[in-house]
Amino acid sequence: MIPRVRAPELSQNYSWLNTDKPLFLKQLKGRVVILDFWTYCCINCLHILPNLKYLEQKYKDSLTIIGVHSAKFDNEKETENIRQAILRYDIEHPVVVDSGFRIWEEYAVRAWPTLIIIDPEGYVIGQISGEGNRDTLDELIQNLIQQHQDKGTINFQEISLTLEKQRQPLITPLAFPGKVLATQAGLFIADSGHHRLVVSSFDEEILHLIGTGKSGLTDGAFNEAQFFAPQGMAFDAENHILYVADTENHALRRVDLKRQIVETIAGTGEQSRNIHPHGGAGLETALNSPWDLVKVGNTLFIAMAGPHQIWQIDLETGIIKTYAGTGAEACIDGSLTESAFAQPSGITNNGQELYIADSEVSSIRGVGIVEPYQVRTVCGSGALFGFGDVDAQGESVSLQHCLGVEYAQNFLWVADTYNHKIKLVSLSGNCQTVLGNGSAGLQDGQGKNTCFFEPSGLSALSSHLYIADTNNHAIRCVDLDSFEVTTLQFPGLCAPDVCIPPNLLNNHLP
């Protein structure tokens, strides 16, 4: 805890979101206030959002949470991009855009996430950094309310807010699709914002909707199962099985397309706090934000974003364990046990190496799956939070928070997410921009005359590349012979609770 000092007033000249007017701390006297210093790329910041939601719902009449968005990457400084993150993560408290780290510096913050607790008289009485402090905060808030109720300095009153999701409801057919997987059986889409999976033919006909569209962790039939912001997928074509990284459920799910059943194969539903290499039986081992998957033989490799590691599960025995990474957030090459990653968010392979989109160091990493089992940096500087937009060779390459990578035809396709581009990387580390002009937008066309908006996932099949264009709520298709980009339409697909397409009354196997 830090000494009791008067809380500096918040700047009113900055952009505010989830409220129709700026908030003054002096207007919030009589309430407990928590300032959440966060940035929307940060996995640790995302992990505490459910705790904040729990607390703000429990103490609606006496607690105000204000997100102070202090950007780590240039792309996160844009107010519209922060608005999209608020919609994607269903944030329901006011957020101030902390341009130039002014509020961060006034409160002497040093790390993401940091929570500053302000009492009903306007004094800072506590500071907590990192994850996993819900019970501590809950007890602190209860004690503050009791103390100030006794003093007569509490003001019980709900505050009315105008939320971004009221201004811009998520009623698009797809919502923030995180990953896409092209297979001979069809196109699998992680419709992350709608908490479901969409299966379509390559003619854009919807074959299956998997999940109710409401967040939850429920196994069962396709129309009963529930996911929570699913991301990466891997397909077992022989057995018609789809494996899913159910990211915010901290679980791996198995989708049987023949039986039309969803089952959980790993994870307890609770987030693991153990960052050290470990493992155990799948259903008894807590996981931490699995973000992407790739299947190699009978092994599923997992980009485990939360503990900054690569994991593996043996699909025969169900045993899951750390494969590479110490748990430190860094870019360290070398042996599997000495290596370190920084929020790995994309994974692919060529049979010799796994290739990782290592987002917080904006680099592409190679991880050996045959001897000598070494980890290397294919391209990117490897600097934590280092970024840019430079096509070059090896460590001279600059990317900005890349989230997706796909191996095809002896090259790596990279979703350079915060640069709004698709880049082509050789296995020796030469990187070239091939799609996107660097501006956030939705524009079809050819090559660099196209626009994307934070593309996060991609998948190649024969002569086409499919892109999960996340903030455009779209799947884009690239003809690899001409580099022509088109946007898939999926006629008949609707947001959950908006309509029921008639062609879903008779589901067919892909």
Side-chain angles (χ1 to χ4, degrees):
M1 292 295 175
I2 59 179
R4 188 173 133 100
V5 295
R6 178 72 68 182
E9 188 55 84
L10 300 176
S11 173
Q12 307 307 300
N13 300 324
Y14 295 163
S15 298
W16 284 75
L17 299 158
N18 269 351
T19 173
D20 53 8
K21 59 183 181 298
L23 297 182
F24 290 92
L25 291 179
K26 63 184 178 184
Q27 295 171 327
L28 297 172
K29 271 202 174 173
R31 302 178 69 79
V32 179
V33 176
I34 294 178
L35 303 182
D36 171 30
F37 287 83
W38 71 298
T39 186
Y40 74 79
C41 72
C42 166
I43 193 75
N44 312 97
C45 299
L46 302 183
H47 284 160
I48 70 168
L49 290 176
N51 295 345
L52 298 181
K53 190 175 287 259
Y54 168 85
L55 294 169
E56 61 193 343
Q57 289 175 352
K58 182 173 180 178
Y59 300 106
K60 279 182 182 174
D61 61 352
S62 52
L63 171 68
T64 297
I65 294 173
I66 298 174
V68 182
H69 190 276
S70 307
K72 200 182 277 189
F73 293 90
D74 277 353
N75 184 64
E76 295 178 307
K77 295 176 181 176
E78 300 293 330
T79 299
E80 180 55 34
N81 299 351
I82 301 166
R83 186 195 321 278
Q84 295 305 314
I86 286 169
L87 291 168
R88 188 187 319 180
Y89 298 115
D90 194 25
I91 294 169
E92 297 179 308
H93 50 252
V95 172
V96 58
V97 180
D98 183 19
S99 301
F101 280 73
R102 180 176 159 188
I103 306 173
W104 173 287
E105 288 169 359
E106 285 180 338
Y107 280 88
V109 174
R110 295 288 176 267
W112 295 274
T114 292
L115 301 176
I116 302 286
I117 300 94
I118 302 171
D119 75 10
E121 294 179 295
Y123 288 93
V124 174
I125 56 93
Q127 174 175 322
I128 299 176
S129 295
E131 303 179 27
N133 298 300
R134 192 182 90 173
D135 293 343
T136 303
L137 285 165
D138 199 347
E139 184 179 348
L140 181 58
I141 293 165
Q142 282 187 39
N143 290 340
L144 281 172
I145 290 170
Q146 187 61 56
Q147 288 169 20
H148 287 272
Q149 207 169 353
D150 294 344
K151 287 173 69 174
T153 48
I154 196 82
N155 175 19
F156 291 109
Q157 181 184 350
E158 273 196 55
I159 288 183
S160 178
L161 298 169
T162 304
L163 301 181
E164 300 307 317
K165 67 180 182 180
Q166 294 167 326
R167 295 190 181 102
Q168 190 179 335
L170 274 185
I171 55 173
T172 47
L174 296 172
F176 300 107
K179 301 290 184 184
V180 61
L181 180 64
T183 75
Q184 296 293 349
L187 200 59
F188 296 97
I189 301 163
D191 190 8
S192 309
H194 287 325
H195 310 294
R196 67 181 180 181
L197 308 173
V198 175
V199 188
S200 83
S201 71
F202 293 102
D203 296 327
E204 301 166 58
E205 177 192 0
I206 302 302
L207 302 173
H208 295 292
L209 293 183
I210 307 172
T212 64
K214 295 191 186 309
S215 62
L217 179 54
T218 305
D219 289 343
F222 283 6
N223 61 354
E224 300 168 339
Q226 290 183 310
F227 301 86
F228 192 177
Q231 290 281 342
M233 299 161 289
F235 188 56
D236 175 351
E238 184 179 344
N239 297 302
H240 281 276
I241 299 292
L242 181 73
Y243 295 97
V244 182
D246 195 3
T247 303
E248 293 198 32
N249 274 326
H250 309 290
L252 301 182
R253 314 292 292 278
R254 180 183 188 272
V255 178
D256 188 321
L257 290 157
K258 287 181 179 173
R259 294 164 53 224
Q260 299 196 7
I261 293 288
V262 178
E263 299 166 302
T264 302
I265 62 167
T268 62
E270 298 293 323
Q271 181 195 344
S272 170
R273 304 285 177 204
N274 186 353
I275 64 167
H276 303 290
H278 64 288
L283 292 172
E284 298 170 9
T285 304
L287 308 181
N288 190 348
S289 293
W291 209 278
D292 200 8
L293 307 174
V294 69
K295 185 175 179 290
V296 182
N298 248 343
T299 300
L300 203 59
F301 287 99
I302 306 138
M304 199 75 78
H308 315 295
Q309 291 167 337
I310 309 305
W311 279 51
Q312 63 178 356
I313 182 169
D314 185 314
L315 295 171
E316 279 188 7
T317 66
I319 298 297
I320 191 167
K321 61 184 179 180
T322 311
Y323 181 73
T326 62
E329 185 178 16
C331 181
I332 299 174
D333 292 339
S335 69
L336 300 180
T337 54
E338 295 170 339
S339 63
F341 302 85
Q343 205 171 309
S345 302
I347 190 169
T348 187
N349 89 104
N350 69 346
Q352 306 293 308
E353 282 185 303
L354 305 173
Y355 298 101
I356 311 297
D358 210 10
S359 63
E360 293 286 78
V361 289
S362 298
S363 298
I364 302 299
R365 315 288 297 284
V367 180
I369 50 175
V370 297
E371 289 186 5
Y373 302 108
Q374 291 291 297
V375 176
R376 68 186 179 107
T377 300
V378 179
C379 70
S381 71
L384 191 60
F385 317 143
F387 64 91
D389 186 3
V390 178
D391 291 349
Q393 173 72 37
E395 65 181 21
S396 299
V397 170
S398 287
L399 307 170
Q400 188 178 185
H401 198 70
C402 45
L403 289 177
V405 60
E406 170 76 338
Y407 174 80
Q409 300 169 349
N410 210 34
F411 282 92
L412 299 170
W413 297 89
V414 175
D416 192 5
T417 306
Y418 283 3
N419 283 325
H420 316 292
K421 291 180 175 182
I422 307 300
K423 297 188 176 179
L424 191 60
V425 176
S426 71
L427 299 188
S428 61
N430 184 270
C431 175
Q432 300 295 326
T433 299
V434 289
L435 299 167
N437 63 15
S439 300
L442 177 59
Q443 181 176 311
D444 288 343
Q446 198 166 34
K448 297 179 186 177
N449 296 318
T450 55
C451 292
F452 303 88
F453 194 176
E454 293 193 11
S456 301
L458 21 70
S459 182
L461 184 68
S462 60
S463 61
H464 290 91
L465 179 73
Y466 296 87
I467 299 165
D469 195 4
T470 303
N471 281 10
N472 276 325
H473 313 298
I475 302 298
R476 317 287 291 279
C477 178
V478 185
D479 184 321
L480 294 180
D481 294 325
S482 64
F483 281 1
E484 190 75 25
V485 178
T486 55
T487 302
L488 302 186
Q489 298 301 321
F490 306 111
L493 180 63
C494 303
D497 301 328
V498 173
C499 67
I500 301 175
N503 61 335
L504 290 183
L505 298 179
N506 294 298
N507 269 351
H508 300 289
L509 276 175

